[in-house]
Amino acid sequence: MTGEPLLVVCALGPEAWALRGGDWAGAVGGSPVLVRTGIGRTRARRSLRTLLATGRYGALVVAGFGASVAPGTDPGDIIVADAVRDSEGGRYELDSAAPLAKALQACGMTTHIGLHHTADHVVRGVQRRALHARGAFAVDMEAAAVLAARAELRPGLPAAVLRVVVDTPERELLRPGTLPAGVRSWRTLRAAVPALTEWHRLAATGEPAQSEPHPKPSTLPQEAS
């Protein structure tokens, strides 16, 4: 079993607030390190290059809010990435999707698995339909950059990506930065924390996932900026 903590990356203050308030008790490697990178690929990659060059971590999670490009999803659903691609054709495969989705579903969360697309701008309307036609389920603005830094500096580091849906093709946000779109999505992200620690435990030990993570008193993660 590794003694190295989980590194959890998000972009925005509301995401960090939700994650910070989750139940991190019993995490492998002690209190996870929570990092808010800011919006966009440039900031995300710069932050991760620094963190991975100077620290040691047992696994990496990109977690936060995102937009669904798949019809039929609802705010508060979770989309776990089995791969992430960028606009230049880069693609990062992830083998974490099935065990993480199982842990989330055991917590009672509606969970989908699919391709995430990292864009350099807010995607709406016809662009969403085009991304879905090319196989995407969700869109964000950071995940591919985080995984690019991982591929460069720590390619063997277990990694997972999830987005809590805040808007959908049927219900788009009116303007950038309106996050979270509702209390439900914020609560879902906070409630997902035990599933993140369960996935990290599985990645660190190779043990079978529990059917339900057991409730434990909350502890707060470390923060880095």
Side-chain angles (χ1 to χ4, degrees):
M1 177 184 296
T2 179
E4 295 169 346
L6 177 65
L7 174 60
V8 183
V9 177
C10 63
L12 299 173
E15 296 168 335
W17 181 26
L19 290 163
R20 196 164 49 240
D23 178 8
W24 293 101
V28 172
S31 183
V33 177
L34 174 60
V35 179
R36 181 165 68 91
T37 66
I39 298 173
R41 293 191 292 175
T42 299
R43 291 176 177 175
R45 185 161 185 165
R46 182 187 306 125
S47 293
L48 263 292
R49 282 178 53 86
T50 299
L51 287 160
L52 295 179
T54 59
R56 299 292 299 178
Y57 309 98
L60 166 67
V61 170
V62 183
F65 305 118
S68 170
V69 299
T73 50
D74 296 313
D77 288 2
I78 297 179
I79 303 177
V80 178
D82 56 7
V84 177
R85 74 179 179 212
D86 59 32
S87 299
E88 293 74 41
R91 185 179 176 104
Y92 306 91
E93 303 291 338
L94 296 167
D95 60 8
S96 54
L100 178 54
K102 181 178 179 180
L104 290 163
Q105 289 163 352
C107 293
M109 299 177 183
T110 301
T111 306
H112 314 270
I113 294 175
L115 174 68
H116 288 212
H117 179 90
T118 296
D120 57 8
H121 61 280
V122 176
V123 176
R124 295 192 177 95
V126 66
Q127 291 181 313
R128 289 196 185 193
R129 293 191 290 275
L131 288 176
H132 185 54
R134 293 173 52 211
F137 274 62
V139 62
D140 64 43
M141 297 176 66
E142 294 84 27
V146 171
L147 296 179
R150 165 186 172 260
E152 180 182 355
L153 296 173
R154 291 284 306 279
L157 183 67
V161 176
L162 69 90
R163 296 294 179 184
V164 178
V165 175
V166 293
D167 69 326
T168 70
E170 298 86 357
R171 298 175 60 185
E172 292 189 0
L173 292 177
L174 296 179
R175 63 185 184 276
T178 310
L179 295 177
V183 173
R184 179 182 177 187
S185 298
W186 187 89
R187 288 178 174 171
T188 297
L189 183 58
R190 182 177 62 180
V193 166
L196 302 184
T197 61
E198 172 67 4
W199 170 76
H200 181 209
R201 184 188 66 81
L202 179 63
T205 67
E207 298 174 10
Q210 299 174 353
S211 58
E212 293 185 3
H214 298 295
K216 298 175 182 177
S218 294
T219 57
L220 297 181
Q222 308 169 52
E223 287 199 52
S225 59

